Amino acid sequence: MQNSAVFVPHFHWDREWYEPFQVFRHRLVTALDTVLETAEADPDFRFTVDGQMAAIEDYLQMRPENRDRIVALVTSGRLAIGPWLILLDEFLCSGETIVRNLQMGWAAAAELGGSMPIGYLPDMFGHVAQMPQILVRAGIEHAALWRGVPGSVDGHAFRWRAPDGSEVRTEFLFDGYDNGLDVLLVPDQIGRALGEYAEMTAERWGDDPVLAMAGTDHHAPDPHLASWLRRASSEDRAITIATLAEYIREHVRDEVSAVVTGELRSHVRGNILPGVLSVRLGLKQRMAAAERTIDHAERVNALWSRRDDSPFLSLAWHKVIESSAHDSVVGSGTDETCDQVEARLAEAAQTARAVRDAALAEPAALVPSDGYLAVNPLPFPRTALVEVDVVAPPEGSALVAIAANGSAHPVQLISEAPTVLSDERMDASQLERVLRRIHRRELFGRLIDHYELTPGSLVFHLAEVPIRGSFDLLILRREVAAAAVAHPGEWRVLTLEEARATALVPVEVPASGLASFRVDPSDRPAARSTTLPPATGTARALSNGMVEVAIAADGTLDVTGADGTVLHGVGRLVDGGDRGDSYNYAPPAQDVLVSEPTQIAVELLESGPLRSRVRVTRLYEWPIALSSDRDLRSDRTVPTPVEMLVEVRAGEPFVRLSTSFLNQSADHRLRFHVPLPEPTTVSASAGQFAVTERGLTAEGGWGEYPIPTFPASSFVSAGAANVLLDHSGEYELVDDGSELAITLLRAIGSISVNIHPLRDEPAASEIPAPGAQDLGMRIENRFAVVPSATGWQGANAVALAEEFRNDVLVARGTAPVGVRLPPDVTGIRVDGKDVLVSSIRRTTDHERGAGTEVRLAAMSDTGSTVRVTGAFTEATTVDLLGRPLGETPAADGLELALGPWEIRTVVVR
């Protein structure tokens, strides 16, 4: 039996949860005031600030005068801070966001004396497979965590191994991050209570000291804690107070036999609360959109702008990382908390959008204003379809896209806009009021090209790009005033816009590069590109030579892939009741599943040649809510039409799908089903630098039913079905592995419920969260389906998911009409199979100067050979904190051999 114990005073600080951020911050300031006063009054006292710098930053904004006090305690080793900026949910953000979180937290801690070198992950709802590699590549050798550890671990530590083989020694907080509190309930009985606890858990500790985590949510330890423990310490049982860093450094053995590989999502020793993957859909979508916008902004700013907007990008990242907290993006907070998260994510995206648009404006200044600039955010060349607003062709003419090299490509006309914007009659004395609408040259959002002034008539001709030279508003005012005097009575004022249309244009864009084009009328269509077989469509079938879609009588789809694999019944919708909460799904005792529509309508929207589209509308009768006892669904139903847009584009080996409906029902879960040709026992999903395989079950054994719903970020694969995703979410293999089900909506009304059929212990207080019902909200989901008999690797899902999620960026040219289109330009190009490029950004080193950082990950168990090319001559490999590891000549490009699932970061100059 061990005869010593180490107490680690700490708190766990949810930045926002059942109270909004500012309410919790008010408590935080009081708590940290107490911590500082206690530490300065008692030299034995130590404190660990929850592993996240957000708590320190939030405190110092209110108490800036205490900065030096914090620095003194950190540098003396009595206050442990970092390494994270915030304790995140690892599955509901990108791998790149995890890296930036660690970078920002480490840098913030360095300014205050240095970070705790431990990957402290106390309360996340499970852990991603690549976390050990992320920590190791930042120089961190230890982790400490609670949830998700499998039952195979019978001690208090294990070696956690990432798919690439990286390992960190991991302290298993098997009784939670508050296991020491029960021992402290009666200060005079600490010795006895500690002895009983040590005896009960002796098999876990072996000869190692007991780790007693002395803290909980939103409370500072009692100021008398150190004196209590001094009194309780004895020759029979020595008690030490330490930070978590001191405990790891001084009191544990590195020799640990248990090894766990990959993600941690077991329910056996604690709830992992898997329902957070699917509640409050909008937050998940906004997180993905914000991350994508920042990524694009960083890439175009690094490659195509002379201006360094890093401060704005850092602000955007900070907002996203704050929102990634494990009680923020998960949606398990009150409505006002979730509203604040949503606003923060919007602010992040807006900040990044400003940087992105400013960066695009620089190369757009070289493109004539009747042309367009296309920018590819991905590091491989592609042909993409973009929608642009153009002058409509004269009757009998066609439109063609002219590239910089003079080649012509066919254009698909999508819609035409009305040309009469206003037709008014008024007295001559009112004409001056019309002129007040004009702002310099702008009118109705367009520019005045010219006007016609005749007795009794004023006609404005508007254009996107004026071609009639200058316009002088003062001259117009003088002419109109004179005409009104000369011709009193009724006047007609007509505002006409040049005939406009929306055109779909194929654009060949280099890797991370720029391409320009313009759309002109032509007497004959351009010859079709041999690289883009036409997309065709009827009301019942779509095809592009690579993928075919047939719309069945029940509104589902039969999708045939490039290799002949057929998926039947794609898009079957199944709606069931949900009596759970924001943390866990739960079916009512008497559930009613609705899977058959009462009406079906199919409408052909576009028939090619570049894009074909069909809208399938299915009407369902969904119960309006659960009954008052929540054990069955209501007899009252509400008719709900669900629109499914089915789209096939020329050159794409997948079918794009989007669903949309107005949610009028409460307490329900809606899932999109993809039946498989043959049942399977294995699924795989991509996210956070890995593709993780899972079975049909999850490990249970504690107080939470192990429902086998799993996270997916960029794609999910099961059997012959590969589904590309727009945002992180939830999926499950159902019916013994015969169907893949993707959650579109989970509508619930409480943060937590005390009586939950699938969870013994409440996850929080039973606080109403009516906003989580999403009532009156339009629910939209976007994904794509790739049939492939050879699974996700045969389908090239890593690259296809990147194409699906990352549209080509388009900006209008601003150079004078008549300027030649500038030639296409390539940026950073990366060639390699199953390689993810998670970041391309500007970086600056005080010794080496400016550079471009590229982060890559091999997304396979065989590794990847990668070639990186661009306008650089040397490369430096760096760790995830940017510290140099070695330099490589790269005059002719950079050749990299990535090991299986390896993350590699290089800076090129």
Side-chain angles (χ1 to χ4, degrees), residues 116 205 250 274 360 458 539 647 714 834:
M116 172 175 70
W205 302 111
E250 300 173 9
L360 292 177
L458 174 60
E647 177 180 319
S714 58
D834 292 333

Side-chain angles (χ1 to χ4, degrees), residues 843-882:
T843 185
T844 301
D845 183 286
H846 293 300
E847 295 181 1
R848 296 171 176 81
T852 302
E853 182 186 86
V854 182
R855 188 156 18 259
L856 314 96
M859 298 288 282
S860 76
D861 56 10
T862 57
S864 299
T865 299
V866 181
R867 179 169 172 79
V868 184
T869 53
F872 57 85
T873 57
E874 62 180 53
T876 304
T877 300
V878 298
D879 70 5
L880 286 185
L881 297 180

Side-chain angles (χ1 to χ4, degrees), residues 400-409 411 505 516-522 526 821:
V400 295
I402 309 298
N405 62 8
S407 62
H409 301 277
V411 168
V505 180
S516 58
F517 65 93
R518 67 175 187 273
V519 178
D520 290 341
S522 174
L821 292 171

Side-chain angles (χ1 to χ4, degrees), residues 393-402 408 520-527:
E395 188 173 350
S397 297
L399 291 175
V400 295
I402 309 298
D520 290 341
S522 174
D523 293 335
R524 56 181 181 176

Side-chain angles (χ1 to χ4, degrees), residues 362-414:
E362 294 185 46
L366 304 177
V367 177
S369 55
D370 61 346
Y372 296 86
L373 174 74
V375 182
N376 182 9
L378 298 178
F380 51 81
R382 60 199 286 211
T383 298
L385 299 182
V386 300
E387 288 188 13
V388 293
D389 179 71
V390 298
V391 177
E395 188 173 350
S397 297
L399 291 175
V400 295
I402 309 298
N405 62 8
S407 62
H409 301 277
V411 168
Q412 181 177 329
L413 200 62
I414 302 301

Side-chain angles (χ1 to χ4, degrees), residues 32 38 41 74 87 108 122 146 171 195 297 317 333 364 417 428 440 499 503 534 621 736 771 789 853-855:
L32 279 177
T38 304
V74 171
L87 294 181
W146 168 31
E171 188 68 25
W317 273 118
R440 290 176 288 276
E621 292 288 339
D736 297 322
E853 182 186 86
V854 182
R855 188 156 18 259

Side-chain angles (χ1 to χ4, degrees), residues 385-386 399 409-415 502-506 535 605-613:
L385 299 182
V386 300
L399 291 175
H409 301 277
V411 168
Q412 181 177 329
L413 200 62
I414 302 301
S415 64
T502 301
L504 191 65
V505 180
L605 302 179
E606 299 173 18
S607 57
L610 299 176
R611 183 174 72 189
S612 55
R613 281 177 162 181

